[in-house]
Amino acid sequence: MTSTYTGYFISFEGIDGAGKSTHIDAFRTLMQERYPDREVVMTREPGGTPLGEQLRKLLLDSPMNLETEALLMFAARREHIAQVIEPALAAGKIVISDRFTDASFAYQGGGRGLSLSKLNELERWVQTLPNGSLLQPNLTILFDLPGEIAEARRSKVRTPDKFEQMNLDFFEKVRQEYLRRAKEDAGRFHLVDATQTPEAIWNGLKLIQIAL
Ligand code: TYD
């Protein structure tokens, strides 16, 4: 809940190759046009702060123990919330983050097998607000598609980082955990069928209304 803030928090999620990067900048522009009086802050995880960007390099390049990886993801997130997200939301801004905590549940939990209880604990640790509620995006746009299609798309466009080198089974588990989170918190999630053409996806994104 971000109810104590006048801002609005949006996260973009999906398995690597789902196509979120294709649309996130255009979505930012759309929000800015719709809400000219509000500043739109674009950010990403892991990253979003100077320290977080350093952690991102380590996280995306270096193999590490699973708990270490989860702790570093959440350490970067804590810094991101404290330095960027909370102040922006308190000032009434619209924050758009390329990934947030659902990615930790999906990748470290679903993909690599970290227990839900540890993830819930880290989430509580890092996202509890001064009023005791848990900071979550107001809206999470989840690009969903089968791992096989995402894999085929990825192999065309880029040199893979540590996560992108994982096998199909890993990405299927990541996808299932995203879908489980979406089901659990249906009011927060907007599911995008990412097998559609980019044009059809964009037409769908333009229909999203936010309660500002
Ligand atoms: P991504 O957002 O896909 O950026 P790019 O488009 O530059 O590759 O890359 C971030 C990677 O980090 C992605 O593979 C998912 C992973 N990740 C986690 O494993 N856990 C997390 O909590 C977050 C935020 C990201």
Side-chain angles (χ1 to χ4, degrees):
M1 285 288 290
T2 53
S3 54
T4 50
Y5 297 124
T6 52
Y8 198 88
F9 184 18
I10 303 170
S11 62
F12 273 63
E13 297 282 359
I15 62 176
D16 295 273
K20 70 182 167 50
S21 312
T22 312
H23 298 286
I24 197 164
D25 284 334
F27 194 78
R28 177 221 187 131
T29 306
L30 180 74
M31 288 296 112
Q32 195 63 83
E33 283 166 5
R34 271 197 206 156
Y35 302 98
D37 299 339
R38 302 271 187 148
E39 190 177 324
V40 181
V41 176
M42 187 74 172
T43 187
R44 69 171 179 181
E45 290 204 350
T49 64
L51 177 66
E53 290 296 325
Q54 288 189 26
L55 292 171
R56 179 185 178 94
K57 283 198 197 85
L58 289 172
L59 283 161
L60 266 52
D61 295 341
S62 314
M64 60 184 78
N65 168 272
L66 173 55
E67 273 79 4
T68 310
E69 186 173 280
L71 287 163
L72 289 180
M73 287 288 180
F74 276 94
R77 179 162 301 129
R78 180 65 214 139
E79 195 67 12
H80 192 205
I81 291 169
Q83 304 290 346
V84 177
I85 299 176
E86 265 197 86
L89 294 175
K93 298 175 186 174
I94 299 172
V95 177
I96 302 179
S97 187
D98 189 345
R99 301 191 184 282
F100 192 63
T101 303
D102 298 305
S104 300
F105 280 80
Y107 282 78
Q108 281 66 53
R112 291 198 66 189
L114 189 68
S115 72
L116 262 186
S117 64
K118 283 187 178 167
L119 285 158
N120 286 329
E121 181 76 0
L122 287 169
E123 183 181 47
R124 195 181 56 76
W125 232 73
V126 165
Q127 288 161 238
T128 300
L129 296 171
N131 71 1
S133 67
L134 205 64
L135 175 76
Q136 290 290 9
N138 300 92
L139 167 69
T140 296
I141 300 177
L142 173 59
F143 285 69
D144 177 58
L145 90 175
E148 271 174 19
I149 303 177
E151 189 174 50
R153 287 186 187 172
R154 280 198 308 276
S155 62
K156 279 194 202 140
V157 290
R158 53 187 160 202
T159 321
D161 63 34
K162 187 181 89 183
F163 292 103
E164 290 166 345
Q165 287 166 20
M166 299 300 285
N167 62 23
L168 191 55
D169 177 57
F170 174 86
F171 282 107
E172 277 303 336
K173 289 191 282 192
V174 172
R175 179 192 188 196
Q176 291 314 319
E177 178 59 13
Y178 268 133
L179 290 173
R180 190 194 66 79
R181 295 271 290 173
K183 210 168 158 188
E184 196 179 71
D185 200 357
R188 170 164 69 90
F189 277 83
H190 177 95
L191 237 74
V192 174
D193 171 3
T195 62
Q196 299 174 96
T197 61
E199 194 192 11
I201 290 175
W202 179 241
N203 286 335
L205 291 178
K206 280 193 296 194
L207 297 177
I208 294 176
Q209 298 292 334
I210 68 173
L212 245 191

